[in-house]
Amino acid sequence: MHNPLLREFDTPFGTVPFEEIKTEHFLPALKEAIQRGLAEIQAICDETSPADFDNTIFALEEAGVLVSRIAEIFFNLNSAETSEEIQMLARDFSPLLSEYRNDVILNPRLFARVKEAYEGIDASKLDKESQMLLEKTYKSFQRNGAFLAEDEQKRLRAIDQQLAQLSLQFGENVLAETNRYELFLNESQIEGLPDYAKEAAAEEAKAKGEEGKFLISLQAPSYIPFMTYAKDRALRKELLLAYGSKAFKGDEYDNQQTIQQIVKLRHERAALLGYKSHADYILSERMARNPEEVGQFLDKLEEIAFPAAKSELADLEAYAQQKDGISKLERWDLGFYQEQLKQERFQIDDNKLKPYFELNQVISGAFAVAEKLYGIQFEERSDIQKYHEDVTTYEVKNGDGSHLAIFYADFFPRAGKRNGAWMTSYRSQKKTSQSDQRPHISIVCNFTKPGKSSPSLLTFNEVLTLFHEFGHALHGILADGHYASLSGTNVYWDFVELPSQIMENWCYQKECLDLFAKHYQSEESLPAEWVEKLKASATFMEGYATMRQLSFAKLDMAWHSGLPSHDTVAEQEESVFAPMALFPSMVETNMSCSFSHIFQGGYSAGYYSYKWAEVLDADAFELFLERGLFDADTAHDFRSLLAAGGSEHPSVIYKRFRGKDPDPKALLRRAGLITEHG
Ligand SMILES: [Zn+2]
């Protein structure tokens, strides 16, 4: 059959021939690729000579390359340019892929070969990257229970099934609780709300047959504006209590039992696999190696953030007192007065800033930053096939003109694209002594499309988003590893946001903004005092914000570092929150019962990584601040960090760049919470 997905891509740079690929090509191609992948696995098992690095570890790394390529193209399209047919197809794709992956990872003959190689190879004779691949391959079997006796493997599968069911249940309860709350108000009760929020609330009420009223719900687009702008203090309290008591009312949607079961099963699962706790299991493949390291990290931040938060809240209370005679600032006052104080202090808004951030100028700005740092250039190409006419394609070249990567940029929303912004790739980077396969990287965003007479003008947040995703893209573009599975963004989960977040720092620097932030009509540069205000407003009440994140991170660790030390969900939670409380606790509310990140999504024993990544980028950026925003040596060293991908443990790679371990205080310095060094 003539299926372009199964052929070598006969296109410039071997890019994906989007124009030839039809939706009906995907499924037959995937099935064929899976057959070939399984045959490659079989060949590894059938090998009669002793298992070694090349015939087992490297052969396994290369097995199923075609499966990965087809899956990558398919899921990238499903996110960026989907259709009903593609969505239907996804239902066949996902089970086929997980079955294939199980056939590989649960294959006992394959594991026997991997084990033989792992035990037989003198790792000290391998280079660092190959050592990492050996270790990672072996561990992936171990972490899936390849070591266990048959009945234990059975138990593991049963636990996994139960856990999948329970997280689903957890999420459904939170959703049901969110959806069933309705607060119908009249016009005088929603005083303070901006027009867009009023209009939305009126629409919602009308849809429910209550024309003339305003419906406030627990959905973020309704709840957040209400807590930020509504003047009615008693209603803010009512809404906060409703929000905080989701799935904690002892009825059929209550999540307390669900939580107890989830943490017990996660603990049992970790113990089966030989780990002390679920957190130990998770963190053994993270830059923060174990629960103790995470605990110390969080404590260090808390030491500074706690007093800072207290004084910020005292300031805010004084402000509320002077403004409205509020004698005691409560939780439900926080968002409201914070917003007002912020407006008073900074007086910058998106409408004033947007004319300085015309999309094409911002893109050129990002390219200019990359060129100044790494000497690389982006050249638009017209001969590369794309999946939608809005996509722009570039060839990225080194300073000496040699080819580095292909870069796809896809910026505007359309029906078939999901929300948000992300970076992905159509071909990964890898090399052998004979060949160097360069990567094909893409970033996808949802910025406002230019109109007939007006260009696309970005908000400052969108500028940050563009630089963030561009940072991920550079991680991919500059990758220089031997093995695809360790190359580019294939790094530990708490390290992957460093390359992206660090790029956002340049957006607050006058020297960098002067490269591109010019008024699209008058061409004048963004005024210096606005840059200062941008910086200051970004860290407004940072002490409080930090404490909030720390309390969630600590709650997460408390649930996963062993079996719970208290009987009830409320007691367990209170034992974490009490020592760091900034407001009196409220018995009606409970965070754990709607903490979807850790009980539904993939953040269990991982919530700390938000702050962890911020510390890394603040600490790394300090070196640029010290030596110069575009200092050649520092940029050279950072490029090495990017090029290394996941070839070694991230703390080793980081220390090589920075000369020391990351310093949590760098984040507090950037936030203006401390000034001293050391
Ligand atoms: Zn990111």
Side-chain angles (χ1 to χ4, degrees), residues 468-469 472 496-497 500:
H468 180 105
E469 299 309 331
H472 282 308
V496 76
E497 294 299 328
S500 51

Side-chain angles (χ1 to χ4, degrees), residues 60-315:
L60 180 54
E61 165 78 5
E62 288 288 301
V65 180
L66 196 55
V67 177
S68 315
R69 181 172 89 178
I70 294 167
E72 236 162 30
I73 299 171
F74 179 78
F75 286 110
N76 283 343
L77 286 180
N78 191 32
S79 294
E81 180 60 10
T82 196
S83 62
E84 250 174 68
E85 296 82 57
I86 291 185
Q87 282 171 342
M88 289 286 283
L89 212 51
R91 290 181 211 169
D92 297 321
F93 245 67
S94 300
L96 278 173
L97 280 171
S98 52
E99 195 186 317
Y100 170 70
R101 288 190 186 119
N102 277 339
D103 283 345
V104 176
I105 204 86
L106 301 175
N107 180 333
R109 286 186 62 208
L110 182 62
F111 176 57
R113 290 290 291 179
V114 169
K115 191 161 180 270
E116 186 192 333
Y118 183 76
E119 284 161 0
I121 293 170
D122 179 357
S124 66
K125 294 217 170 83
L126 296 174
D127 59 83
K128 286 269 176 344
E129 206 177 341
S130 304
Q131 286 178 22
M132 189 71 174
L133 186 68
L134 176 64
E135 192 68 37
K136 201 177 155 182
T137 306
Y138 180 70
K139 246 180 144 180
S140 70
F141 282 88
Q142 179 210 23
R143 288 169 72 82
N144 277 283
F147 269 117
L148 302 179
E150 209 174 308
D151 58 329
E152 290 171 321
Q153 281 191 351
K154 248 190 177 161
R155 177 68 192 141
L156 192 70
R157 303 297 151 221
I159 292 176
D160 283 344
Q161 264 185 3
Q162 255 178 297
L163 278 172
Q165 192 56 45
L166 284 163
S167 356
L168 216 60
Q169 182 68 56
F170 186 94
E172 282 169 7
N173 285 343
V174 175
L175 189 65
E177 283 279 90
T178 306
N179 288 340
R180 76 178 172 151
Y181 182 84
E182 293 177 338
L183 185 63
F184 287 97
L185 301 174
N186 57 44
E187 186 138 24
S188 68
Q189 293 172 298
I190 57 160
E191 201 192 336
L193 249 58
D195 288 340
Y196 74 89
K198 273 188 190 170
E199 279 158 27
E203 285 293 316
E204 295 283 328
K206 195 176 161 193
K208 299 262 177 176
E210 297 272 350
E211 194 159 359
K213 293 214 158 187
F214 299 86
L215 174 57
I216 303 300
S217 72
L218 300 181
Q219 308 281 3
S222 177
Y223 176 76
I224 293 171
F226 195 88
M227 296 307 290
T228 313
Y229 300 106
K231 289 191 173 166
D232 193 317
R233 201 179 180 208
L235 281 173
R236 288 202 309 264
K237 178 179 181 183
E238 186 178 330
L239 206 65
L240 182 106
L241 285 176
Y243 194 87
S245 59
K246 273 180 297 183
F248 183 63
K249 299 189 193 75
D251 57 13
E252 74 264 40
Y253 300 116
D254 193 287
N255 266 336
Q256 294 175 77
Q257 277 307 314
T258 328
I259 291 173
Q260 301 278 20
Q261 288 175 47
I262 289 176
V263 294
K264 241 176 82 188
L265 286 169
R266 280 179 179 165
H267 188 77
E268 184 189 344
R269 186 182 192 281
L272 256 177
L273 292 170
Y275 293 88
K276 261 197 304 191
S277 70
H278 179 69
D280 284 279
Y281 167 77
I282 294 287
L283 294 169
S284 81
E285 298 221 310
R286 295 283 197 266
M287 185 175 176
R289 295 163 202 260
N290 51 52
E292 293 71 34
E293 201 170 322
V294 173
Q296 284 162 11
F297 168 76
L298 299 173
D299 284 343
K300 249 188 217 165
L301 288 178
E302 186 182 341
E303 208 178 288
I304 314 260
F306 198 22
K310 277 185 189 160
S311 95
E312 288 163 2
L313 289 175
D315 276 358

